[in-house]
Each structure stands twice: as C-alpha cells, then as structure tokens.
C-alpha cells in the first residue's frame, strides 16, 4: 500500500495535469474507465495543438483518441490553431470529421457518437446515406472527404479536426491512394488524428506526416489490454504454442508440441509407406483433422465461446454451419432463441417473403437460433449486420468467417480459430503475412469482459509450429504506400493548383517519400561500392604493366568462347532437327548418347506437326518410344534400311522382339563411328586466335602473381556490374510519380481533357467529377454519347460493364441482352481498346477491360424481375451469383448512375434516364440501407 506522502504526490500530479489539460480532464470524467498511458499521451499531444499518429494493437482502445478530437471540436473554444478570419461575435462552431475505410464502420461509429453526443450533433455521409451532413461532427468514408476536398465543398468551413481511423488502409492496393490524397490536400489549419494498427515503420510514416502536416506526435503501444494466449489443436489435443512469455519473445515453440507433431508426422509417413504401394502416395489427404462441429463443441466445453472461426472460403463458411447443424449442435437457451428471433424478424421486415426463401432465410435463421452463423461478403448486407449485432450481444456464439470480418468491424470474441494459414487473395493462394495473422488473432479477448484471449491454429501436416510461432511473434510488417496518380486525380490537381504545383504535390506523397528514402539507402550503397571498387583496383595493380588492359583481354576471350559455344550448340541442334525431319519408316539410325544409345529403326517419322520432330523408334534393346533432337549430339545418319510390317504394333512384345532382331541382323556396330565433340569444327575462330595472341604478348602475362591480380580484378568487375544495376534503380525511383503524372497529363492533353496551356477543359471538369476505377472510359462514353437513347434498364446494364469485376476469371465471354445494350457495350469495348493502346504506348498502367458478367442480372432486376431469376442469370463459375455480391455490385452501379445524373457532361435525357434507373434498381433487397 502506498504511503500518505506518495498518495499526496499522486494527487498533486493529477491536479497539475487537470489544470494543464482541462479538456482531457473533462473528457476522462465521462468515460467511466481510466485512460491507458498511450491514450493519455496521445490526447495530451492533441490538446497541445499537435497532430498525432497512434499505433496500437486491435482492441487496445485507439478510438478513444479519435473521440477526444470530437470532444475538442464540440467544446466551446478548443486549443489548437484558431480559425482563419475569426468572426467578431466569437469563435464559429468548429467541426470534426471522423473518416473510416468502410461503410459498416462508419455506420457503427455514427451510432456510437449519437449515443454519446445526441443525433443533432452528429451526421453521417457514405455512398448510401446522407444524414445531418452539416452537423459539427460528421462520420464519413474516406472517399467522401476526398471528393469534398476536390469539389471545394462549403461543408469544409470551420473544419478543425479530421480523424482517420484505420489509416494503415493506405497500403490497400485498390483504395489506399485516397488516404494520401486527403492527408496532402487537407487545409493546414486542420489537425490530423491518424489511428493505425501496429506497424513496424511508424516513425517513417510520422516523419512523412511532419513534412506534409507539420508537428505530429507519434504514440506507439505494443501492449494488449487483454493478454493473448496462442494454441495449436493437433487432432483432439490442444497445446500451448509457447511455454511462457519469455519463450514467445524468443520464438521458442513448446517442446511437447514439437515432439507430438513430429511423432504424428512419423506415424502418417509409416502408415503411407505400408499402404501406398510402389507408386508412393501423397501425405495431405491421409490426414483427418478435427471436424468443425467437434472444434466448436470443444471450445464450448472449455469456456472459450464466443469464437470466430476463420475459414477463408465463402463456401467453407456456409458448409461449416451446415455441418454443425447436422451434428445437432445447440449453443443457446430457449430465452436466447426467442430474443434472436425477435431481433431477426424486426430487421428483415422490408424484404419481400418470396425473396427471403431465395436467400436461404429459414436455414440462416435455424443456425442463428442455435448460436451459429456464417459471415462473408457473399451474404446479404442486412444478414451480415444481424450476425454482427447478435454476436456482440452474446447471442450468437460461433461465427465462421472469411478475413473480411477482421477489417475493423467491432466484433471481439473470447477465442479466434484459424483453420488454415493460406488464403486466396483474388489471384492466387498465398500464406498469411504476420500483419494479417496479428489482425485476425487480435479479435480475441474482449476488454472489460475477458481476462485473456485465445488464438487457436488447427494443425495439419503442412503446418509447421515454428512457422506459426514466427507469425505470432513477428512485428516486422511495414506500412507500404500504394499511391499512384489517376486521370481523375490529375485533372482535379491541375484544376485546383495548376500543373507544376500539382507535380510538386505528388512528390510530397508517402509513396514518393518512401521511394526517395530507399533511394538514399541505395545511393549510400553505390558510394560504398565505389570505394570498394577502388580498393580492389589497387589490389589488382601489376608492376609489369596495365593489368586492366590485360584483364579486359581475358574477359573478351571468355565472352568469345561462350558465344562460339552457344553458336555451335544452336548449329548442332538445327542440324539434328533437320536430320530427324528427313527420316522415313524403316531407316536404321544410331542414337549417339543417353539411356537409349545404340541402333534403332524408325517406326513413325512424326513430321509435319508443330514443334520439334520426335520420331517413334524401336531400339535393338527392344525399347519403343519417341526420341527428340536433344538425344542427338550430331545429326542422325541413315545407316541402313529394313522393312517394317505395315500394321506393326510397337506395344506387342513379340513384334518388338522380331523387329529388334532384324536391326541387330544388319551387322552394324551399335557404338561405331564415335567421334570427338570437335569433329565438326574445322579451324580456329580468327578473332579468338587474335585475342589469345595479344594476351600471350601482354607484359602482365609473365607476372608470377598474375592469377592473384586476376582474382581481385574479377571481384571488381562483378561489383561494378552490381553497382551499375543499383544506379539504374536509383534513376528509376527518383521522381517516378512525377514522371507517371507527366505521362497522364500528356495523354489527357492529347484527348482534350486538358488544354495545351495546362488549363482544364469542359471535358476535363466532367472527368474530375467521375469517381470510379475506369474514370477515363466513363468520360469517353459520355463524350461519344454511347449511353444516350437507352431505357433505364438498358442503361443500368450498359454502365455495369465498367464497374463490375468477376471474383474469378471465366474463359468464355458473358452474353448480353440483345439490341441497344449489346451495341452500347460493343462501342464501350472499342473505346477501351483505343484507351488501352494509348496507355501502353505511353508506358502507363492499363485501364481494366470491361467485364460483361453483371449485365444480365442488373438488366433483369431493373426490369422488375424476381430475385431468384436475377441471381440465376449471373455469369458465375459455380452456379448462382451470391446475394451479397449482387447487392454490392448493384450499389456500385447505382453510385455510377448517380454520378451520371449529376454530370454536366451528360445530356438532359441521359441524366433523367439515370435517375429513373436508380429508382428501378433501388427496390426489394436494394431498398435496405444500414444506419439509420
């Protein structure tokens, strides 16, 4: 227990802090819990007027710092820079924008802030919703803020704070650039609060923030408020991954786990050795890991529910729920089941009854009532939100999820299970990174509820416990910028600040900052290499003469010998190919080398096809098969001819025996005529002879230390080659973004979006209001009137091809509604081809090819057809289009239609049709918007 003096000193310290940071003291009184050290440090920096970057593990409470920024904005006269041109009546209402990467997070944060500050103080702006957008605190997706900045929106007036939640999203290769655009373009008077997961280069990121935003405090916390215990489930046995915290720091796997997995592997291999037979067998399929229902039952018995089980496959998540239902698992009480049904029924009232059966509603509800659910992007958004709500309330106990659940959604669990450590990233199956592993397992352990969290990896023969230990212990996952200039960005930048300042702005991006930093390291390496090259040169110096000159002769001789060898090899191969092409049935030849060396008779010349000739032969050893030019070091020579029966069956042992006897009966020697490899070469190469003469006549050739000098000279030559490669990398990285920007500007100027004097044309202003990946293609379609004259349903189908992207590549092209839609899409594809050729010629990243796979579903839906028919018309590899995918892509089509409806570059008729198309699409499952 502390002494009275210590308690008095603590009280004095608290009083001093309260007087120094009055806003923080006010804020902390309402929290209901004590601030952690990192939260207090970050909030104090914010109250002093500094920007702040907070890096802390998932669930550590980073958002408290963001909420303090909201408190400062709502407080009468907060610390920090004064609003420019303050009004004489007193300070204007200051604002705080709270940005998140995904709509679901925005919705969640909106509700949190409304609960705390009231609905009149808080607004929400996402692609789906606009609620109280002029409020002093507005929650929004990052793209909405980016669009406001480019449009010079009046809503930005009075903006004092911007909170960027999950700022590590700037590494996202599809959307990450938006975060950098916002950070660069925010007015200097705005204080930036950046909240990030733990990254290993937080200081580098903060250094960049200082260069573009001014003073920025860095607060990094590695401490998890709820300790995390790592386990591996091997068959029916659960092991700790580490013996204790000290072993975890050293990556030392628990010895008992290592011993048990080795024994299991040995048993598997021995079992296969007995059963696989002479052909051997594969290891993987013989291992039968624990069944999913057994895993959930085990977690329930050990008090580790609620749990999230990551499976990384939509079909796998749905199958897992079905397996648990089939096994009779029930994790809920009668009272909980009644509460679950009440919540579900209140949330799905807007969905028509016939659509519910198409969506698998009754099976889904059965799972929920038993405390089981799937969670993935293919589910209807309202279904996902219900699962999230029930899980947070503790009514759903086990959720089978893809990794999308880990992206910021506040769904903490007591336990997280990883079924595999491999996931599909859209292109290939790849191993989880340490960052992904940490983010997934970071969900385990609910602050204020659980004493500790648990992460369980299910073992299989492909899973090495030491690899898992490395994932669990590694803290080296740096933040890497994914920023690159786009057409929309270019016209907006040029229109806002002009071409040259725009170029400078791009060079202030985190991407260029990282490239330049890496250039500094490369340049240092070049300097070190240059010094080493000089030292090697001194070691190679010879008192007999110029050793550089002598060594150059040696290099020239080696190069000439290699060139001649390559030339001879290609000539020999060409001669062998030509000789094999001339063979006929019955020709007796000699195979000069390899396992089939000896005499052989040609059964089938195999000429006239593509590729190299591979005649079918029978050797005198009775082997029948095809030989290739690689088997012949010299051209195949016809030594004799014998008659081959017309319908000779080379698979018949008797037929092979008789014909092989005839081959041997020719009396030819199977090995005769062997010649040295140089028999074809007549005379020495003149240039090579000349170089050798010069070498022997050089003064350094007589030096007794000649070979020692040559070793140093060879080291120097290799280092010079490496250094030249480094110099080229330096040149490629320096100003790389500015060079890309210059190429984009040149293309836009050639196409009339920018004038030759660098000003933005009317077409450019229209392009600047198109926010989609295929922005230039959409602008070209508008300028050429591609979508004019279409009906609402036809317009929805035609624009879908520029936003939709199938999850998997499908070989054949999707079909289209005939008539106007097919014609419009054909013109769109032609425009894309022109743009692609232009981009390729200028060395720019190519615009993605339009994807026709969503045209039929959205066309049918906009015409009012039933959901079942719509989902069945998707161009999917594995049957129906998932309802969640349909809703997501339909909303993206609606978003683009909304841009067309507001576009100054669209005709009045097209704008009207776009509004009608939006109304036609927003029905049934599309009419539901989460929030509100």
């Amino acid at each position: 227990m502390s002494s009275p003096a210590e308690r008095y000193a603590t009280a004095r310290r608290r009083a001093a802090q309260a007087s120094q940071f009055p806003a923080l003291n006010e804020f902390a009184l309402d929290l209901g819990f004590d601030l952690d050290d990192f939260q207090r440090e970050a909030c104090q920096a914010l109250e002093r007027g500094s920007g702040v970057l907070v890096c802390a593990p998932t669930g550590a409470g980073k958002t408290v710092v963001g909420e303090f920024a909201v408190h400062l904005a709502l407080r009468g006269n907060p610390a920090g820079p004064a609003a420019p041109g303050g009004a004489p009546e007193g300070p204007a209402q200051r604002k705080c924008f709270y940005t998140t990467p995904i709509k679901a997070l925005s919705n969640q944060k909106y509700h949190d802030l409304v609960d705390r500050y009231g609905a009149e103080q808080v607004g929400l702006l996402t692609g789906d919703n606009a609620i109280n957008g002029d409020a002093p605190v507005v929650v929004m997706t990052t793209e909405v803020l980016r669009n406001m900045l480019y449009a010079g929106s009046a809503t930005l007036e009075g903006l004092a704070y911007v909170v960027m939640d999950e700022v590590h999203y700037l590494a996202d290769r599809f959307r990450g650039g938006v975060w950098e655009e916002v950070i660069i373009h925010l007015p200097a008077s705005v204080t930036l609060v950046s909240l990030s997961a733990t990254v290993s280069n937080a200081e580098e990121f903060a250094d960049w923030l200082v260069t573009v935003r001014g003073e920025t405090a860095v607060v990094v916390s590695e401490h998890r408020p709820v300790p995390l215990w790592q386990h591996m489930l091997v068959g029916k046995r659960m092991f700790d991954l580490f013996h204790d915290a000290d072993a975890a720091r050293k990556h030392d796997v628990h010895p008992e786990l290592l011993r048990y997995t080795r024994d299991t592997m040995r048993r598997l291999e021995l079992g296969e050795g007995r059963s696989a037979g002479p052909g051997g067998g594969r290891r993987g399929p013989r291992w039968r890991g624990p069944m999913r229902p057994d895993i959930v039952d085990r977690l329930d018995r050990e008090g580790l529910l609620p749990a999230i089980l990551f499976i990384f496959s939509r079909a796998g998540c749905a199958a897992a729920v079905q397996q648990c239902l089939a096994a009779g698992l029930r994790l809920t009480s009668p009272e909980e089941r009644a509460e679950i049904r009440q919540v579900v029924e209140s949330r799905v009232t807007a969905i028509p009854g016939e659509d519910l059966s198409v969506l698998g509603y009754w099976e889904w509800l059965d799972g929920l009532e038993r405390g089981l659910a799937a969670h993935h992007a293919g589910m209807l958004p309202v279904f996902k939100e219900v699962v999230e709500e029930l899980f947070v309330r503790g009514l759903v106990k086990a959720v089978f999820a893809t990794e999308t659940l880990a992206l910021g959604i506040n769904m903490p669990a007591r336990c997280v299970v990883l079924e595999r450590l491999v996931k599909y990233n859209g292109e290939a199956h790849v191993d989880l990174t340490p960052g992904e592993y940490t983010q997934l397992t970071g969900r385990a352990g609910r602050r204020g509820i659980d004493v500790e969290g648990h992460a369980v990896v299910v073992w299989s023969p492909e899973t090495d416990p030491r690899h898992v230990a490395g994932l669990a212990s590694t803290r080296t996952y740096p933040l890497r910028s994914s920023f690159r200039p786009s057409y929309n960005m270019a016209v907006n930048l040029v229109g806002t600040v002009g071409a040259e300042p725009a170029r400078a702005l791009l060079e202030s991006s985190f991407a260029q900052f990282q490239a330049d930093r890496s250039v500094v390291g490369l340049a240092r390496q070049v300097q070190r290499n240059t010094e080493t090259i000089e030292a090697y040169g001194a070691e190679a110096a010879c008192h007999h003469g110029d050793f550089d000159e002598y060594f150059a002769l040696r290099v020239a001789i080696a190069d000439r010998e290699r060139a001649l060898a390559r030339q001879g090899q290609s000539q020999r191969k060409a001669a062998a190919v030509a000789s094999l092409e001339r063979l006929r049935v019955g020709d007796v030849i000699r195979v000069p080398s390899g396992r089939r060396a000896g005499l052989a008779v040609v059964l089938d010349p195999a000429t006239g096809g593509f590729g190299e000739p591979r005649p079918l032969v029978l050797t005198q050893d009775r082997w029948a098969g095809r030989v290739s030019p690689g088997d012949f070091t010299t051209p195949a020579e016809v030594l004799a001819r014998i008659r081959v029966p017309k319908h000779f069956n080379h698979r018949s042992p008797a037929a092979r025996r008789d014909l092989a006897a005839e081959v041997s009966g020719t009396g030819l020697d199977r090995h005769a005529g062997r010649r040295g490899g140089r028999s074809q070469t007549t005379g020495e190469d003149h240039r090579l002879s000349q170089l050798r003469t010069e070498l022997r006549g050089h003064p350094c050739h007589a030096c007794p230390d000649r070979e020692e000098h040559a070793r140093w000279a060879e080291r120097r030559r290799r280092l010079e080659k490496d250094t030249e490669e480094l110099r080229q990398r330096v040149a490629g990285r320096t100003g790389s973004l500015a060079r890309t920007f210059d190429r984009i500007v040149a293309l836009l100027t050639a196409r009339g979006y920018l004038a030759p004097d660098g000003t933005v044309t009317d077409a450019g202003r229209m392009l600047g209001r198109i926010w989609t990946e295929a922005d230039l293609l959409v602008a070209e379609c508008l300028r050429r009137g591609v979508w004019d004259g279409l009906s609402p349903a036809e317009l929805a189908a035609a624009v879908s091809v520029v936003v939709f992207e199938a999850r998997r590549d499908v070989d054949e092209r999707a079909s289209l509604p005939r008539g106007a839609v097919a014609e419009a899409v054909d013109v769109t594809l032609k425009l894309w081809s022109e743009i692609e050729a232009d981009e390729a010629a200028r060395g720019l990243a190519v615009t993605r090819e339009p994807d026709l796979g969503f045209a039929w579903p959205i066309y049918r839906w906009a015409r009012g057809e039933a959901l079942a028919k719509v989902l069945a018309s998707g161009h999917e590899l594995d049957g129906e289009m998932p309802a969640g995918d349909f809703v997501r892509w339909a909303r993206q089509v609606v978003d683009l239609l909304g841009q067309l409806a507001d576009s100054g570059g669209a005709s009045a008729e097209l704008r009207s049709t776009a509004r009608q198309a939006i109304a036609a699409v927003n029905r049934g499952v599309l009419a539901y918007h989460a929030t509100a």
Side-chain angles (χ1 to χ4, degrees):
M1 213 175 147
S2 58
S3 67
E6 286 170 333
R7 289 198 296 275
Y8 175 70
T10 304
R12 284 285 300 270
R13 196 161 53 250
R14 278 191 193 137
Q17 282 186 348
S19 61
Q20 193 179 353
F21 301 105
L24 178 56
N25 195 46
E26 261 173 44
F27 175 72
L29 287 173
D30 291 338
L31 282 178
F33 59 85
D34 289 338
L35 289 170
D36 289 341
D37 289 345
F38 86 90
Q39 293 168 329
R40 186 173 298 280
E41 183 186 345
C43 292
Q44 287 174 353
L46 209 48
E47 190 167 356
R48 281 196 297 266
S50 168
V52 66
L53 167 65
V54 182
C55 297
T58 303
K62 298 184 286 287
T63 53
V64 167
V65 183
E67 287 165 12
F68 180 57
V70 171
H71 177 81
L72 287 175
L74 291 175
R75 201 167 176 262
N77 187 19
E89 304 87 38
Q93 175 65 64
R94 309 193 68 166
K95 293 182 179 179
C96 175
F97 287 173
Y98 197 111
T99 72
T100 71
I102 48 180
K103 291 172 189 173
L105 258 181
S106 294
N107 296 330
Q108 199 171 59
K109 183 50 65 177
Y110 167 74
H111 288 300
D112 291 348
L113 293 174
V114 164
D115 290 345
R116 178 157 187 167
Y117 298 109
E120 69 285 350
Q121 296 274 49
V122 185
L124 175 69
L125 293 173
T126 67
D128 297 336
N129 297 291
I131 301 169
N132 198 14
D134 293 323
V137 177
V138 185
V139 183
M140 61 185 70
T141 50
T142 317
E143 279 86 352
V144 170
L145 178 53
R146 185 269 313 269
N147 299 356
M148 276 186 188
L149 289 166
Y150 280 144
S153 170
T155 314
L156 295 166
E157 195 177 329
L159 182 62
Y161 296 92
V162 166
V163 180
M164 300 197 83
D165 202 354
E166 311 278 348
V167 76
H168 53 271
Y169 252 75
L170 67 76
D172 183 86
R173 61 186 176 139
F174 299 113
R175 298 170 54 214
V178 177
W179 274 252
E180 289 187 51
E181 286 181 80
V182 168
I183 292 169
I184 291 168
H185 290 107
L186 277 173
S189 59
V190 175
T191 301
L192 186 68
V193 181
S194 306
L195 309 178
S196 170
T198 316
V199 292
S200 58
N201 61 333
E203 287 74 17
E204 179 188 39
F205 184 50
D207 288 347
W208 173 68
L209 286 174
V210 168
T211 64
V212 291
R213 303 294 321 156
E215 186 187 351
T216 304
V218 191
V219 179
V220 178
S221 172
E222 290 276 359
H223 175 69
R224 276 182 53 97
V226 180
L228 178 66
W229 291 95
Q230 309 269 356
H231 312 278
M232 282 200 85
L233 182 62
V234 188
K236 294 184 177 179
R237 290 193 59 181
M238 184 95 79
F239 294 88
D240 290 341
L241 185 60
F242 304 112
H243 184 263
D244 53 27
D246 191 44
R249 278 191 294 275
K250 296 176 183 173
H251 301 204
D252 286 345
V253 178
H254 201 298
E256 195 179 341
L257 168 61
L258 277 178
R259 190 163 50 248
Y260 190 79
T261 52
R262 281 182 193 137
D263 290 346
T264 306
M265 286 291 291
R266 203 173 295 120
R267 282 197 301 274
L268 281 171
E269 285 164 358
L270 285 172
E272 281 167 11
R274 285 193 295 272
S275 62
R282 292 188 306 149
R283 177 182 300 156
R286 293 196 57 79
W287 168 250
R288 295 284 179 266
M291 303 295 286
R292 289 160 178 164
D294 295 339
I295 295 174
V296 175
D297 187 49
R298 168 100 184 234
L299 297 176
D300 187 27
R301 283 187 282 108
E302 297 198 9
L304 294 178
L305 296 181
I308 301 169
L309 298 93
F310 287 107
I311 290 182
F312 306 131
S313 152
R314 295 178 180 188
C317 292
V321 175
Q322 291 307 314
Q323 288 158 11
C324 291
L325 295 180
L329 270 184
R330 190 182 292 280
L331 306 172
T332 51
S333 65
E335 295 77 21
E336 287 173 327
R337 287 197 286 281
E339 194 177 344
I340 287 166
R341 185 173 277 270
Q342 185 183 350
V343 169
V344 173
E345 288 177 349
S346 69
R347 296 293 292 275
V348 300
T349 49
I351 301 174
E354 65 271 18
D355 287 352
L356 286 176
S357 56
V358 173
L359 296 165
Y361 169 76
W362 300 107
E363 297 85 349
W364 174 67
L365 179 59
D366 185 24
L368 290 177
E369 288 185 333
R370 294 181 186 220
L372 301 157
H375 186 289
H376 56 76
M379 291 169 64
L380 199 66
V382 64
F383 282 18
K384 279 198 300 179
E385 288 161 22
V386 168
V387 170
E388 290 162 14
E389 181 183 339
L390 294 176
F391 190 80
V392 170
R393 287 168 63 168
L395 297 171
V396 164
K397 319 291 174 128
V399 170
F400 297 93
T402 57
E403 77 276 13
T404 51
L405 189 146
L407 301 178
I409 301 295
N410 185 24
M411 270 182 70
R414 180 168 295 166
C415 178
V416 164
V417 178
L418 298 181
E419 192 173 82
R420 298 177 69 208
L421 296 177
V422 174
K423 67 164 190 169
Y424 186 75
N425 68 357
E427 294 170 0
H429 286 90
V430 294
D431 291 337
L432 286 183
T433 64
E436 288 165 337
Y437 182 89
T438 302
Q439 189 157 31
L440 294 169
T441 56
R443 294 269 159 235
R446 297 163 297 172
R447 189 167 190 174
I449 302 173
D450 299 322
V451 178
E452 57 194 26
H454 298 268
V456 180
V457 174
V458 180
W459 183 84
S460 69
E462 296 80 31
T463 310
D464 184 346
R466 286 164 299 195
H467 174 61
V468 180
L471 288 175
S473 311
T474 302
R475 290 289 175 269
T476 53
Y477 30 95
L479 197 56
R480 290 273 172 257
S481 172
S482 61
F483 179 82
R484 63 182 177 82
S486 67
Y487 299 114
N488 168 286
M489 187 195 301
V491 291
N492 277 309
L493 281 175
V494 172
T496 310
V497 299
E500 272 310 307
R503 214 170 176 276
L505 266 176
L506 283 174
E507 292 194 312
S508 69
S509 68
F510 186 46
Q512 194 60 58
F513 184 81
Q514 286 192 310
D516 291 345
R517 279 216 165 175
S518 68
V519 162
V520 170
L522 290 174
R524 284 192 191 129
Q525 187 62 48
V526 167
Q527 182 59 39
R528 283 197 295 271
N529 285 5
T530 305
E531 291 167 7
T532 309
I533 286 166
E534 288 173 8
Y536 286 173
E539 292 290 344
C542 176
H543 65 281
H544 282 267
D546 185 347
F547 199 84
D548 288 350
E549 189 179 78
Y550 176 75
F551 188 71
L553 286 170
R554 287 176 69 138
V555 170
I557 289 169
D559 290 345
R560 185 64 183 167
E561 285 174 340
R562 271 194 296 272
L564 289 171
R566 278 196 300 272
Q567 184 182 330
Q569 192 177 359
S570 60
Q571 285 173 349
R572 281 196 300 275
K573 184 170 182 181
V577 167
S579 67
L580 292 182
E581 285 173 343
R582 290 194 295 269
L583 294 178
R584 292 177 299 157
V585 176
D587 285 349
V588 177
I589 59 173
R590 185 178 287 110
V591 181
S593 58
R595 286 186 306 156
R596 309 302 174 194
L599 298 175
V601 60
V602 177
L603 305 177
D604 173 21
T607 56
F610 293 101
E612 296 177 339
R614 299 185 69 239
L616 178 66
V617 302
L618 173 71
T619 68
Q620 63 190 113
D621 297 326
R622 304 182 193 175
W623 174 83
R626 296 198 177 274
V627 290
S628 70
D631 296 313
F632 292 83
T633 52
T634 57
E637 186 182 346
V638 179
L639 305 172
R641 281 186 60 77
I642 60 174
R643 183 181 167 280
V644 177
K646 192 169 185 182
H647 299 294
F648 181 77
N649 179 9
H650 68 274
R651 292 189 175 86
S652 163
R656 286 204 307 270
R657 183 190 63 222
D658 293 345
L659 192 58
E662 278 196 60
V663 173
S664 299
T666 59
L668 296 166
D669 184 351
R670 65 188 296 161
H671 298 305
R674 282 193 173 178
R675 293 191 293 270
R678 294 182 177 271
S679 59
Q680 298 289 316
T681 309
T682 56
E684 189 86 355
D685 176 73
H686 174 69
R687 176 63 185 145
L688 190 59
S689 300
Q690 188 180 3
L691 287 169
R692 284 177 173 154
T693 304
E694 287 180 35
L695 184 80
R696 285 192 291 269
H698 197 283
C700 292
H701 194 65
C703 178
D705 299 323
R706 180 183 70 198
E707 293 310 310
E708 181 66 19
H709 295 323
R711 276 192 287 275
W712 286 108
E714 176 60 24
R715 287 176 193 155
R716 183 179 64 174
R717 187 175 75 90
R718 285 182 187 161
L719 194 55
E720 282 172 341
K721 186 180 173 187
D722 293 345
T723 306
E724 185 53 39
E725 286 177 8
L726 287 175
R727 286 197 180 101
Q728 287 172 4
R729 283 166 64 189
V730 168
R733 291 185 189 183
T734 307
S736 50
L737 283 178
R739 281 199 300 279
T740 302
F741 178 72
D742 291 343
R743 290 171 193 158
I744 287 174
V745 166
L747 186 148
L748 292 174
T749 305
R751 287 182 167 267
Y753 293 94
L754 295 174
D757 63 357
T759 56
V760 181
T761 63
D762 288 343
R765 278 185 280 279
M766 183 249 306
L767 173 59
R769 293 293 163 265
I770 296 169
W771 314 98
T772 182
E773 198 182 337
D775 45 13
L776 184 58
L777 180 56
V778 171
E780 288 289 307
C781 287
L782 284 173
R783 290 174 79 190
R784 311 280 181 97
V786 173
W787 298 321
D788 290 346
L790 298 177
S791 71
E794 288 169 343
L795 179 61
V799 304
S800 75
V801 304
V802 297
V803 295
F804 178 70
E805 185 175 7
R807 291 180 69 230
R808 300 279 198 282
D809 288 334
V810 182
D811 289 337
E812 76 263 15
R813 177 172 153 169
S815 62
L816 290 166
R818 287 182 188 161
V821 175
E823 290 167 15
V825 171
D826 278 345
V827 178
T828 304
L829 287 166
K830 286 191 184 90
L831 289 174
W832 171 78
S833 296
E834 292 172 15
I835 292 170
E836 183 206 29
D838 211 348
E839 289 167 331
R842 295 175 190 274
L844 289 168
V846 172
T847 299
R848 182 173 56 80
E849 183 177 2
D851 192 320
L852 283 48
F854 195 57
W856 265 118
I858 196 68
Y859 177 70
R860 286 187 161 145
W861 181 255
R863 286 180 57 186
E865 296 188 25
L867 182 64
K869 194 172 180 183
V870 168
L871 297 180
S873 63
H875 189 61
E876 297 283 311
L877 280 173
D878 44 3
E880 286 193 349
M881 170 172 269
D885 288 346
F886 171 72
V887 170
R888 186 169 73 257
W889 289 116
R891 283 186 175 161
Q892 291 203 27
V893 170
V894 167
D895 181 64
L896 182 52
L897 288 169
Q899 294 179 43
L900 299 185
D902 297 335
S903 172
S907 64
E909 181 199 2
L910 179 59
R911 290 202 296 273
S912 171
T913 308
R915 282 189 282 274
Q916 292 172 50
I918 291 169
V921 172
N922 278 335
R923 66 178 181 89
V925 291
L926 263 299
Y928 170 82
H929 289 307
T931 55

